[in-house]
Amino acid sequence: MDFKQMYQEKLVSAEKAASVIKSGDWVDYGWTTATPIAVDKEIAKRLPELTDVNFRGGILMWVPEIFKIENPAEHMTWNSWHMSGIERKAIAQGFCYYAPLRYSELPRYYRESQNKPDVAVFQVSPMDEHGFFNFGPNASHMAAVCETSKVVIVEVNENMPIAHGYQTQLNLYGVDYVVEGSNSPLAELPAKEPSEIDKKIAAHVVKNIQSHSTLQLGIGSLPLCIGQMIADSDLRNINAHTEMLTDAYVDLFNAGKLTGNKPIDKGKAVYTFAGGTKKLYDFIDDNPICCNAPVDYVNSIATIAKIDNFVSVNSCIQVDLYGQVCSESAGHQQISGTGGQLDFVLGAFQSNGGHSFLCTPSTRVNSKGELESLITPGLAPGSIVTTPRMATNYIVTEYGAADLKGKTTWERAELLIGIAHPKFRDELIKEAERMGIWKNSSKIL
């Protein structure tokens, strides 16, 4: 087969590709750095003529043009698998909603759901000589999307890195339309510089990490700080098996710490999607140590449990005195999503020598300018329990790390109050007494 000829036969303008969208369609927009650009602009032009178009995607890194039309709620709904700041604003505008699920279940959802995509459109790397496009660092659930979509549109971007791994490619045979996009640089997601509180929290985590550990790090300044501390430490043979690959792993590699020498996927830094700076995308491009794989493998509890000394580090929003953890909402306001947190918490504890750490500053300044504790007697009304109390392992603040595994309710209260901000400890003790989970013999650590 002459792939070049077939490519030309399927090559269309962005406007032509957008014309296939109809009222009532379910349209998948890819994932993170693969969200379409050229076709999105053309769909936005058509959208005022359409109604009830359901778009799906997640972790948006820029505002799509479809969000910018007049009265978007009259024409579309954005259904998010995982929220970003952009999507939080869209919720407030009334056209965005979160789909609660364990991220690891997403490929199965596509294959078994009645709401299979009518159209899938997303960015890919240029086609190779064998007729394959690469999803870039977004394997995630994209193979399942393409398998189940009635129409598949790829938007070619010469800046999309080639990601090695499993189910990272799509052959031209499986594509209905090819659009040559604007070749925009990939959107960057730089982490903020770590604060002094981040550094204190990171130090409590790093002292519990040993050589020959495998790391799952979440997003933000704290993982960056942990990566820098490990890079500067005496730890060696650190491995990666993580939902999201970030710049922190590049720092570990450049420091000679990241080896990939672990029991499964030997020699590989395994991840399901990536987001960071150009440094990260350049590191991923055609690099055999980086192994992009579907989320139902990467986030599988069974997969994680096979890796000895697995260390999972994620952030959370609020923790109550029972050890229930909210990591995705502020009351009724959706902030992010469940993602893989629960899977990694459970998988890490099943790992021989493994642990999970859920990290939060002890306080925050609320909208009234008042300091409030993030360790509370109970979660705020409407808050989502992301990690239930029976699963929680370590909770970490700048005041220490509390291991809640196997602890009774009074022990949990004692340990959590011990890492709360000192200003709120007496108040928390009174609440614990009222709740019947405080012993007179308890001592604040």
Side-chain angles (χ1 to χ4, degrees), residues 121-138:
V121 53
F122 49 90
Q123 292 191 87
V124 293
S125 70
M127 186 181 74
D128 67 16
E129 61 186 27
H130 305 293
F132 285 98
F133 301 94
N134 192 279
F135 291 131
N138 299 291

Side-chain angles (χ1 to χ4, degrees), residues 19 40 66 72 85 136 173 184 199 211 246 253 258 260 273 278 287 289 301 321-322 334 338 351 366 424 444-445:
S19 71
D40 167 58
I66 57 173
Y173 282 115
S184 300
K199 293 174 184 177
S211 294
T246 65
F253 181 82
L258 188 68
F273 73 95
K278 188 175 184 298
N287 186 346
I289 195 176
I301 295 170
L321 290 181
Y322 291 112
Q334 194 75 41
T338 302
S351 157
N366 64 25
F424 297 99
I444 299 299
L445 302 179

Side-chain angles (χ1 to χ4, degrees), residues 85-229:
I86 292 167
E87 288 158 293
R88 289 197 291 274
K89 293 177 181 177
I91 286 179
Q93 293 175 261
F95 65 88
C96 177
Y97 301 86
Y98 171 62
L101 85 166
R102 288 166 54 205
Y103 181 25
S104 58
E105 296 174 343
L106 195 47
R108 178 177 174 178
Y109 170 79
Y110 274 92
R111 293 179 175 116
E112 297 183 1
S113 171
Q114 294 181 346
N115 285 334
K116 291 182 171 59
D118 294 292
V119 181
V121 53
F122 49 90
Q123 292 191 87
V124 293
S125 70
M127 186 181 74
D128 67 16
E129 61 186 27
H130 305 293
F132 285 98
F133 301 94
N134 192 279
F135 291 131
N138 299 291
S140 183
H141 54 290
M142 290 308 299
V145 169
C146 295
E147 286 172 26
T148 56
S149 184
K150 295 174 186 175
V151 176
V152 175
I153 302 168
V154 296
E155 182 176 314
V156 177
N157 186 339
E158 293 177 359
N159 291 304
M160 185 67 74
I162 301 297
H164 288 246
Y166 311 127
Q167 296 183 24
T168 59
Q169 296 177 315
L170 174 64
N171 194 271
L172 184 58
Y173 282 115
V175 174
D176 295 287
Y177 299 102
V178 177
V179 174
E180 293 182 343
S182 56
N183 295 317
S184 300
L186 262 62
E188 297 191 45
L189 195 64
K192 295 179 181 177
E193 279 300 309
S195 67
E196 289 305 310
I197 288 178
D198 287 330
K199 293 174 184 177
K200 290 177 181 178
I201 293 172
H204 292 305
V205 174
V206 171
K207 72 180 181 183
N208 285 287
I209 298 176
Q210 56 186 312
S211 294
H212 313 291
S213 292
T214 295
L215 298 185
Q216 178 263 319
L217 299 175
I219 187 172
S221 56
L222 179 61
L224 178 67
C225 188
I226 289 172
Q228 291 170 343
M229 284 187 179

Side-chain angles (χ1 to χ4, degrees), residues 1-62:
M1 172 57 66
D2 186 343
F3 285 112
K4 290 183 179 180
Q5 179 183 339
M6 185 189 297
Y7 181 99
Q8 290 300 319
E9 291 171 355
K10 295 186 176 186
L11 183 62
V12 297
S13 66
E15 181 181 9
K16 170 65 176 175
S19 71
V20 306
I21 309 295
K22 307 182 301 297
S23 292
D25 276 355
W26 283 84
V27 182
D28 261 82
Y29 249 38
W31 194 244
T32 58
T33 55
T35 303
I37 297 175
V39 181
D40 167 58
K41 290 179 181 177
E42 295 301 324
I43 294 175
K45 293 177 184 177
R46 290 198 62 227
L47 203 49
E49 307 166 10
L50 305 176
T51 58
D52 196 29
V53 182
N54 276 286
F55 293 91
R56 281 191 294 217
I59 316 184
L60 288 173
M61 298 176 71
W62 62 89

